[in-house]
């Protein structure tokens, strides 16, 4: 294996004796609704359910994006006691609700989380922007009169509030880690949790991502030309990998996976949705603060070295679940890196679930688990015209669940890159 | 939680360079010099108009000394880049492209929020027409880490932990894992945060800020004082350092992280999560509590924190809690939030090397226990001499019950 310059790529030593980790539960809350079936239905639909974003005076430009994949669910009583929900901001409610769904889906309802079990648990969540609305509201209060600033809003404005609220709701006293790597946050969080279990510091973990989309965040993303825009009567649409793409559709919500040591899952007879084969990360330092860089060769080498470290040959990848979102530069880089990583050989089938879910909220991780478990991929109804630069046509459907390793790939704005390898159960 | 089994083949991770930006200035030299004098960096806030806030002091990084090359860069990014470059120079790596060998494990609680506040103010003042969106480009918590990776060309993993005031120590713990597992050869671990109205007003809303200067572990203490800045450690395996002829400053011997899971803003009253983090760090380092020579406390100066921390020290160290030397760096440079743990790690390493643990000034005599729960070995007026100290613990706790503890070992002979 060699890099772009012909030099040998350095493959690091294999990991020393980490425990096997499996995914046994999936919780998701998004514009598509609540739960694994709702996420699956959203993927089948091939397009995110869009709602108008509030447009306070001065926030948005007149020609800006107007809609986003917003969570319309406001009744969290199924997952959170109302008194507890009142002490949470919206991102915390998203995260706790998705966590409860993941536990239930994994056959481990909250009542079975004893203090002993909670002491062996961990929580790892990713977020790109943290608590957008409370931060904005708190700042407004401080600007008007600092003495009137809400202490509750401050406590819930910190980026780790949702992660902490999940721990509070379940009494989980192990590691409580919030990671922020923009679009790469969800995969990094899942990888972090898998490592915590692999090292034996936890037996199980809740891992995923949460995001809240405020009007100001939506307007800011649009000002950076990150968002797809409406074209005449045509509403904005995410068109991952398509030549006509003009940005992503912003989404909010949460995705949480229940991870366990394979040993613990087997002992309790849990259904295994997927096995975590490995994870790896890299950075494209050529990336500017608000866009993607040009480090194709370096990222492709990192991808090749990561696969090799996990003893996976490119031809052993059965499916790529791509983080392509419709971003002009981001999708181009994703296509170039994947093709360079395969060194000209044909790519395996590629699916781009963000075309159906929108960007943010960690739905990529949930979609990957569904793909491994059932072979479900997002229906690429958005895709019409291949982009020669990207060079990838998303797969319409799979005949069967992939029998081989699934590569989940995400390249974030500002340079972070994260990959996850999932094996079938 | 039982500690993880230690692999006999686990590589030793060493610190080969440190860098810092604090209220005392740009670099570790002004920090160490001021700490040795027991000076305090608090002054009237100039970063923003604090007139309408309940309190008015903070340990703000002085503009003087900021390199011209960092002009125009958002504050937290500039602090991070300066500290990272200083640490790399100290490690003998100079200023060069590091490539895929290097990783960035960073921390921040608010990223470049103060610049986002300017956007917000412009939005309000101009009805949005002239609000500069560019001010938001580096706003996310990940901004400082991204700036460091860009600056030094680090192409290994890069990530940012945002676990409130435990973030900095947690980022160092994450880097320790990465190096032990061979994800990278060299890691810049640290954190950066700048003063902003969001956190200043937020802590004031919680009535957690001392109207004067913070007085950790003193009777009548009224809260924390805010600070800003960055701290960075260059971490690498001992073999990697030896291969390039770098002399370690210290060994990062162990780390532990935990969660109280008891309250969003208040610590567990008995410091249960802090106890777990400290015990896990000791177990990770393969040490007994009686082998720790001093502790760099979280020591915020809030009544609740110091009480809970003292309870945790008593649980971990038993009767020795009254004898073990302790210090709160926050008494001198304020609470640096997401970067606190990183800067305090830098200070802890310096104390191991110099054999002196800085004072924890605050004014007024400490009350006798049990009313104040004041540890007896805090340096009230001057530094504590810790000759021959070999192992030190540095601890941090944050909102949401996040806790992290680090164990450092002196490298080489005592000073």
């Amino acid at each position: 294996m060699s890099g772009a310059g012909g030099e040998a790529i350095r493959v690091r030593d294999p990991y020393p004796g980490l425990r096997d980790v499996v995914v046994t539960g999936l919780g998701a809350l998004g514009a598509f609704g609540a739960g694994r079936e709702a996420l699956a239905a959203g993927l089948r639909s091939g397009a995110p359910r869009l709602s108008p974003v509030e447009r306070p005076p001065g926030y948005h430009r007149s020609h800006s994006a107007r809609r986003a994949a917003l969570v319309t669910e406001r009744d969290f009583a199924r997952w959170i006691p109302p008194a507890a929900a009142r002490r949470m901001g919206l991102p915390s409610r998203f995260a706790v609700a998705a966590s409860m769904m993941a536990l239930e889906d994994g056959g481990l309802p909250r009542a079975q989380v004893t203090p002993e079990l909670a002491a062996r648990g961990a929580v790892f969540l990713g977020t790109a922007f943290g608590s957008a609305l409370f931060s904005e509201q708190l700042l407004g209060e401080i600007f008007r009169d600092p003495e009137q600033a809400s202490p509750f809003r401050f406590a819930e404005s910190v980026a780790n509030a949702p992660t902490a609220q999940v721990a509070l709701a379940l009494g989980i006293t192990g590691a409580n880690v919030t990671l922020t790597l923009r679009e790469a946050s969800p995969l990094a969080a899942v990888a972090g949790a898998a490592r915590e279990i692999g090292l034996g510091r936890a037996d199980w973990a809740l891992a995923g991502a949460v995001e809240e989309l405020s009007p100001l965040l939506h307007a800011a993303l649009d000002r950076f030309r990150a968002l797809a825009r409406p074209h005449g009567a045509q509403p904005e649409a995410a068109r991952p990998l398509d030549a006509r793409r003009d940005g992503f559709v912003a989404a909010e919500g949460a995705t949480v996976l229940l991870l366990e040591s394979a040993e613990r899952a087997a002992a309790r007879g849990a259904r295994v949705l997927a096995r975590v084969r490995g994870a790896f990360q890299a950075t494209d330092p050529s990336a500017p603060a608000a866009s993607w860089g040009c480090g194709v060769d370096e990222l492709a080498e990192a991808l090749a070295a990561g696969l090799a470290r996990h003893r996976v040959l490119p031809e052993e990848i059965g499916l790529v679940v791509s983080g392509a979102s419709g971003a002009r530069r981001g999708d181009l880089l994703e296509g170039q890196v994947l093709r360079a990583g395969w060194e000209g050989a044909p790519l395996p089938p590629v699916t781009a679930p963000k075309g159906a879910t929108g960007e943010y909220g960690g739905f990529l991780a949930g979609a990957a688990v569904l793909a491994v478990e059932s072979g479900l991929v997002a229906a690429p109804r958005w895709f019409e015209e291949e982009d020669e630069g990207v060079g990838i046509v998303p797969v319409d459907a799979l005949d069967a669940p992939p029998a081989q390793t699934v590569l989940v790939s995400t390249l974030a704005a500002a340079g972070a890159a994260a990959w996850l390898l999932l094996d079938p159960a | 939680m039982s500690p993880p089994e230690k692999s006999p083949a686990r590589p030793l991770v060493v610190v080969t360079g440190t860098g810092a930006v604090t209220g005392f200035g740009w670099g570790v030299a002004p920090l160490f010099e001021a700490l040795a004098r027991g000076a305090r960096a608090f002054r009237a806030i100039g970063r923003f108009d604090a007139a309408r806030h309940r309190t008015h002091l903070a340990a703000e990084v002085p503009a003087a000394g900021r390199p011209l090359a960092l002009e125009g860069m958002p504050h937290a990014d500039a602090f991070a880049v300066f500290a990272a470059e200083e640490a790399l120079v100290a490690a003998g790596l100079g200023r060069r492209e590091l490539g895929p060998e290097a990783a960035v494990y960073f921390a921040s609680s608010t990223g470049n929020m103060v610049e986002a506040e300017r956007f917000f103010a412009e939005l309000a003042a101009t009805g949005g027409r002239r609000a500069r969106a560019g001010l938001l480009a580096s706003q996310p918590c990940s901004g400082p880490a991204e700036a460091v990776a860009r600056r030094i060309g680090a192409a290994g993993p890069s990530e940012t932990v945002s676990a409130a005031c435990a973030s900095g120590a947690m980022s160092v713990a994450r880097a320790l894992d990465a190096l032990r597992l061979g994800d990278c050869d060299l890691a810049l671990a640290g954190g950066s945060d700048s003063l902003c109205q969001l956190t200043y007003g937020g802590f004031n809303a919680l009535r957690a800020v001392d109207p004067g200067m913070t007085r950790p572990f003193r009777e009548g203490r009224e809260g924390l004082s805010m600070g800003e800045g960055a701290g960075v450690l260059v971490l690498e395996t001992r073999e990697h350092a030896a291969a390039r002829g770098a002399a370690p400053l210290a060994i990062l011997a162990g780390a532990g992280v935990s969660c109280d899971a008891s309250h969003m803003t208040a610590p567990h009253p008995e410091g249960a999560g802090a106890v777990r983090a400290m015990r896990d760090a000791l177990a990770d380092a393969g040490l007994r509590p009686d082998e720790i020579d001093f502790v760099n406390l979280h020591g915020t100066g809030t009544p609740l924190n110091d009480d809970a921390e003292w309870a945790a020290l008593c649980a971990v160290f038993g009767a020795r809690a009254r004898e073990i030397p302790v210090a709160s760096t926050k008494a001198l440079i304020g609470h640096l939030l997401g970067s606190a743990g990183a800067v305090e790690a830098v200070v802890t390493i310096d104390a191991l090397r110099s054999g002196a643990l800085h004072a924890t000034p605050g004014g007024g005599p400490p009350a006798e226990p049990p009313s104040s729960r004041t540890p007896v070995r805090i340096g009230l007026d001057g530094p504590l001499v810790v000759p021959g100290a070999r192992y030190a613990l540095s601890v941090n706790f944050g909102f949401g019950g996040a806790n992290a503890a680090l164990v450092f070992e002196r490298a080489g002979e005592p000073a």
Side-chain angles (χ1 to χ4, degrees), chain A residues 12-19 191 195 199 277-281 306 309-311 421, chain B residues 105 157 177-184:
Chain A
R12 293 177 177 276
D13 294 338
Y15 287 104
L18 299 184
R19 299 196 299 176
R195 171 164 294 183
L199 285 166
R277 172 118 180 211
F280 48 100
Q281 291 170 227
R309 190 180 189 201
H310 290 284
R311 303 283 193 268
L421 295 167
Chain B
Y105 289 90
D177 278 348
L179 284 158
R180 282 174 174 170
L181 292 171
D183 289 339
C184 54

Side-chain angles (χ1 to χ4, degrees), chain A residues 21-23 187 190 257 259 273-279 316-319 321 364-373 402-408 419-425:
Chain A
V21 179
V22 296
V23 182
L187 297 192
V190 172
L257 307 182
L259 302 182
L273 303 177
R275 296 180 178 277
V276 180
R277 172 118 180 211
E316 292 171 337
I317 298 291
L319 175 71
V321 180
L364 180 74
V369 170
L370 289 176
V372 173
E373 184 211 10
Q404 294 175 294
T405 300
V406 169
L407 171 70
V408 196
W419 295 277
L420 181 68
L421 295 167
L422 296 176
D423 277 347

Side-chain angles (χ1 to χ4, degrees), chain A residues 327-338:
Chain A
R328 293 269 347 150
R329 292 186 64 176
D331 287 16
L332 177 63
L333 186 64
E334 172 84 349
Q336 291 172 327
V337 168
L338 285 173

Side-chain angles (χ1 to χ4, degrees), chain B residues 54-55 206-216 218-225 300-303 306:
Chain B
R54 197 175 62 90
T55 63
L206 285 170
R207 300 294 187 262
V209 185
D210 192 316
M213 296 184 198
T214 186
R215 292 166 288 155
R218 303 284 181 133
E219 188 176 14
R221 62 190 179 272
E222 292 188 63
L224 55 83
S225 291
T300 59
T302 65
D306 292 4

Side-chain angles (χ1 to χ4, degrees), chain A residues 19-35:
Chain A
R19 299 196 299 176
D20 289 340
V21 179
V22 296
V23 182
T24 55
L26 165 59
L29 178 68
F32 45 77

Side-chain angles (χ1 to χ4, degrees), chain A residues 10 15 143-144 201 283 309, chain B residues 52 156 177 181 183 185:
Chain A
R10 176 183 170 193
Y15 287 104
F143 278 18
R144 282 191 296 277
R201 295 193 292 234
T283 305
R309 190 180 189 201
Chain B
R52 295 195 307 148
D177 278 348
L181 292 171
D183 289 339
D185 299 321

Side-chain angles (χ1 to χ4, degrees), chain B residues 182-268:
Chain B
D183 289 339
C184 54
D185 299 321
L186 184 142
L188 279 89
S192 184
D193 259 322
S194 62
L195 277 172
C196 62
Q197 297 218 47
L198 189 83
T199 48
Y200 198 77
F203 277 110
N204 266 309
L206 285 170
R207 300 294 187 262
V209 185
D210 192 316
M213 296 184 198
T214 186
R215 292 166 288 155
F217 283 88
R218 303 284 181 133
E219 188 176 14
R221 62 190 179 272
E222 292 188 63
L224 55 83
S225 291
M226 302 282 291
E228 66 174 355
V232 175
L233 313 178
V234 173
L235 301 174
E236 51 191 315
T237 62
R238 183 171 58 180
E239 289 69 24
H240 188 267
R244 64 180 191 85
L249 302 176
I251 297 163
L252 176 55
V257 300
S258 70
C259 183
D260 286 353
S262 70
H263 194 275
M264 266 307 290
T265 54
H268 185 282

